[in-house]
Amino acid sequence: MSAADIDAYDLVGIGFGPSNLALAIAVDEHNARCPRPEDRLSALFLEKQDDFGWHRGMLFADATMQVSFLKDLVTMRNPASDFSFVSYLHAHGRLADFINYKTMYPLRVEFHDYFTWAANRMRDVVRYGHTVTDVVPVAGGDFVDVIAATPEGVRTVRARNVSVAVGLEASLPPGVEPGARVWHNLDILHRAASFEVPSPRRFIVVGAGQSAAESVAFLHSRYPTAEICSVFFRYGYSPADDSNYANRIFDPQAVDVYFDAPADVKRMLFDYHRNTNYSVVDGDLIQDLYRRQYAEGLRGEQRLRMLNASRVTELTGGPDGVRAVVEHLPSGDREPLEADAIVFATGYRPADATRLLGQAGSLCLRDEESLLRVGRDYRVATDERLRAGLYLQGGTEHAHGITASLLSAGAVRSGEIVTSVAASVADRPPVPPAVGRPLAMTGDRLS
Ligand SMILES: Cc1cc2nc3c(=O)[nH]c(=O)nc-3n(C[C@H](O)[C@H](O)[C@H](O)COP(=O)(O)OP(=O)(O)OC[C@H]3O[C@@H](n4cnc5c(N)ncnc54)[C@H](O)[C@@H]3O)c2cc1C
C-alpha cells in the first residue's frame, strides 16, 4: 500500500527521532508477520527537520553512548531483527573491528550513523520538513487530523492513532534568554561552528551533569588558548551509577513494577535512582577532566577551572561577550568574570505533549496532581468525545519511570504501542473523506 492510496493512517507519528524510528520499524515488522492485509497497519511519520538527525548540536567526536549498544532500536524487542546495531555493523563491514574494540558503549557519532542508516531504510514512511502545529479531533472522535506546516503550505493527515515523540527541550534558568553569546549546550556545536572570535579568552559552563562535563571537555580541546570555567552547585561532579543492580531500573520489567506502584513508592524509587541518569557524569569523563586540570597545574598553566559550590548570580550580555558574577556559596565570595560566551548546560525538559496536541490535548485527562493519565500501553486517557488513540513516547516518567524518554526502553515500548494500536484498529471504523483538504474545509470536527 503506498502512502498516496491511504485515506487515513492507522498511526501517525509526530517526530522522527529514535523513539518513533523504533516504532516505524516495529510497525514494519508487525506487518511482515501478518498474512492478512487487513491486519496490517498503515503508518506515516512527520518530522520537522529536513533530514534525520539525533542531537546533532551535541555530537562531539569523542562522546560515547550512555547505554549499551544492545539497547538499540530493536534488539530488546526482537533480537532477530535486521535493524539491530550488529546488523548495521555487519552491513558496513565493521563487525569484527567492533568486536575487537571490546566496548558496549559505541561513540555517539557511530550510533548516529546507525540511526541514520535505519532511518534511510524507513524513508518511505517519513515526511521530513513537516512541523506539526495542531491535532484536531474529527468524525465523532474516531479520528484526528494532524496539521503540519511544510515548505509548500499546511498539510493535513488523518489518523486513527497518533504517537507523539518530540523529545526534549532546552531548560534555561529563569530570566536567561539564549543569544549570540548565551548558549544552551543543545546547540553548542552549531554555535561554535559559527563563532568568529579567533582566539577566545574565556568560556563559562554552568551545570554539573553529563552534558555540562562534555561541553567543558569540548571547549577545552577546541579553544586551546581559552580558560574554561565550570560553575556548579555541587562540590564535585558525581559519577553516574551504572552498577549492575541499579541498572535494572532500565529493564522492561522495571516499567511494569513502577507502573503499578503507589505514587509515594514511585517517587521514592525515582529519587533513589535518579543518579543513574540525572545530574551525573560518566566516570571516565570525570577522570579525563581531572587529569587535564592536574597536568595544567603541574605546568603552571591552569586554564581549566572548577568553580564548585558556586552559582552565577548576575549575567549581563553585550555584543562582544558576557559579564557574569560567580558566587562561592560557602564563603559568599563573589568573582566577576568576563567571558566570550556562557553555556548553560542546565538540563532539558520533555516537550509539552498537550501543547503540541493542541485541540486534542484539551481532551486529555489528568490526575489529581494534574499529570496526564497514561495507560501502561503509553496511551493517554481522553474525554469520551475522543476515541482516536494518543500515545506518548516521552514525558511519562510519572507513570512509567525513568526510562520514559530514554533509548533503553525504546525497542520494547515500540512493540507495546504496536500491540495496542493493532488491537484498537481491529474493527476499523470507515474513513470520512477529508484528507488533504485545508483546515477550514473539514467541517466534521468536534466543537
Ligand atoms: C546529547 C544527548 C545525549 C543523549 N544520550 C543518550 C544515551 O546515550 N542513552 C539514552 O538512553 N538517552 C540519551 N539521551 C536522551 C534522549 O532523550 C534519547 O537519546 C532520545 O533522543 C529520545 O528519542 P526521541 O525520539 O524520543 O526524542 P528526540 O531524539 O529528541 O527526537 C524528537 C524528534 O521530534 C522532532 N520534532 C519536535 N517537534 C516536532 C513537531 N512539532 N513536528 C514534527 N517533528 C517534531 C524533532 O525534530 C526530533 O527529531 C541523550 C540526550 C541528549 C540531549
Side-chain angles (χ1 to χ4, degrees):
M1 209 162 18
S2 79
D5 301 330
I6 295 172
D7 291 318
Y9 292 88
D10 295 319
L11 179 62
V12 169
I14 305 176
F16 201 61
S19 298
N20 268 345
L21 169 56
L23 183 61
I25 297 167
V27 169
D28 201 51
E29 294 183 352
H30 164 87
N31 289 346
R33 287 193 308 273
C34 289
R36 299 188 326 152
E38 59 270 32
D39 294 333
R40 294 175 199 153
L41 299 174
S42 57
L44 187 73
F45 294 83
L46 307 176
E47 166 57 50
K48 72 177 176 184
Q49 297 184 85
D50 294 334
D51 209 339
F52 183 84
W54 177 58
H55 303 312
R56 282 182 187 275
M58 283 285 288
L59 217 47
F60 303 124
D62 51 0
T64 55
M65 295 299 293
Q66 305 301 303
V67 69
S68 156
F69 71 82
L70 292 172
K71 292 186 173 175
D72 59 18
L73 295 164
V74 291
T75 300
M76 295 282 282
R77 174 181 58 78
N78 174 16
S81 170
D82 69 348
F83 276 92
S84 66
F85 182 68
V86 170
S87 294
Y88 154 84
L89 289 172
H90 185 256
H92 288 77
R94 280 206 308 277
L95 187 52
D97 286 344
F98 185 81
I99 292 170
N100 293 329
Y101 186 14
K102 294 188 182 171
T103 184
M104 300 295 282
Y105 304 96
L107 290 171
R108 248 185 356 239
V109 283
E110 186 169 35
F111 232 63
H112 187 277
D113 195 54
Y114 156 63
F115 286 149
T116 308
W117 166 81
N120 285 340
R121 291 175 62 193
M122 299 308 296
R123 197 164 267 282
D124 284 358
V125 295
V126 196
R127 300 293 175 268
Y128 290 102
H130 282 54
T131 303
V132 172
T133 54
D134 202 357
V135 177
V136 185
V138 288
D142 287 322
F143 298 86
V144 289
D145 276 351
V146 181
I147 318 293
T150 79
E152 289 76 41
V154 174
R155 184 165 172 203
T156 304
V157 181
R158 185 151 288 186
R160 292 182 165 88
N161 297 281
V162 166
S163 163
V164 182
V166 289
L168 303 167
E169 291 176 342
S171 171
L172 288 161
V176 173
E177 289 295 325
R181 302 302 183 113
V182 179
W183 309 345
H184 187 274
N185 67 274
L186 261 186
D187 42 40
I188 187 170
L189 280 174
H190 306 315
R191 296 286 195 170
S194 57
F195 194 62
E196 280 165 1
V197 180
S199 306
R201 286 170 301 119
R202 180 183 289 134
F203 290 93
I204 301 170
V205 178
V206 183
Q210 179 70 21
S211 297
E214 286 182 9
S215 299
V216 167
F218 163 72
L219 293 169
H220 187 256
S221 305
R222 164 100 178 212
Y223 299 105
T225 56
E227 179 179 283
I228 314 297
C229 296
S230 181
V231 180
F232 47 84
F233 291 124
R234 288 171 184 253
Y235 204 80
Y237 294 130
S238 299
D241 180 358
D242 61 353
S243 59
N244 309 62
Y245 289 109
N247 220 47
R248 287 182 160 175
I249 198 78
F250 300 109
D251 290 355
Q253 293 82 346
V255 180
D256 290 325
V257 171
Y258 193 89
F259 188 82
D260 291 326
D264 56 331
V265 177
K266 283 185 177 181
R267 258 189 298 274
M268 181 194 79
L269 289 174
F270 201 95
D271 290 346
Y272 271 134
H273 294 292
R274 56 179 304 113
N275 67 342
T276 53
N277 187 56
Y278 293 103
S279 308
V280 286
V281 183
D282 178 53
D284 291 344
L285 181 54
I286 296 177
Q287 268 218 325
D288 170 34
L289 289 174
Y290 194 88
R291 211 174 280 132
R292 295 186 199 200
Q293 195 183 18
Y294 187 85
E296 285 179 355
L298 273 183
R299 294 196 301 270
E301 300 165 1
Q302 202 72 68
R303 65 181 190 89
L304 176 54
R305 293 181 62 202
M306 296 292 156
L307 305 184
N308 63 343
S310 298
R311 62 175 178 157
V312 172
T313 54
E314 287 171 38
L315 181 65
T316 44
D320 300 328
V322 294
R323 184 175 182 280
V325 176
V326 176
E327 183 189 5
H328 182 240
L329 296 166
S331 63
D333 291 348
R334 292 156 65 85
E335 182 182 5
L337 288 175
E338 309 272 342
D340 293 278
I342 185 165
V343 182
F344 283 92
T346 40
Y348 316 94
R349 59 171 166 260
D352 180 357
T354 42
R355 195 187 63 215
L356 183 82
L357 287 166
Q359 297 185 36
S362 62
L363 297 175
C364 293
L365 302 183
R366 290 176 180 273
D367 64 16
E368 49 292 344
E369 290 181 51
S370 201
L371 298 165
L372 281 176
R373 280 179 45 200
V374 196
R376 175 64 186 81
D377 59 356
Y378 300 91
R379 184 174 172 156
V380 186
T382 51
D383 184 299
E384 60 191 11
R385 287 174 292 165
L386 180 60
R387 284 176 300 283
L390 306 177
Y391 293 83
L392 296 185
Q393 300 209 66
T396 70
E397 281 84 358
H398 59 286
H400 298 93
I402 210 157
T403 57
S405 63
L406 298 180
L407 301 178
S408 321
V412 171
R413 184 173 60 226
S414 300
E416 290 167 344
I417 293 175
V418 168
T419 303
S420 176
V421 169
S424 78
V425 301
D427 299 309
R428 292 174 173 88
V431 182
V435 168
R437 289 195 211 156
L439 186 56
M441 288 174 63
T442 48
D444 52 353
R445 299 202 162 102
L446 287 175
S447 56

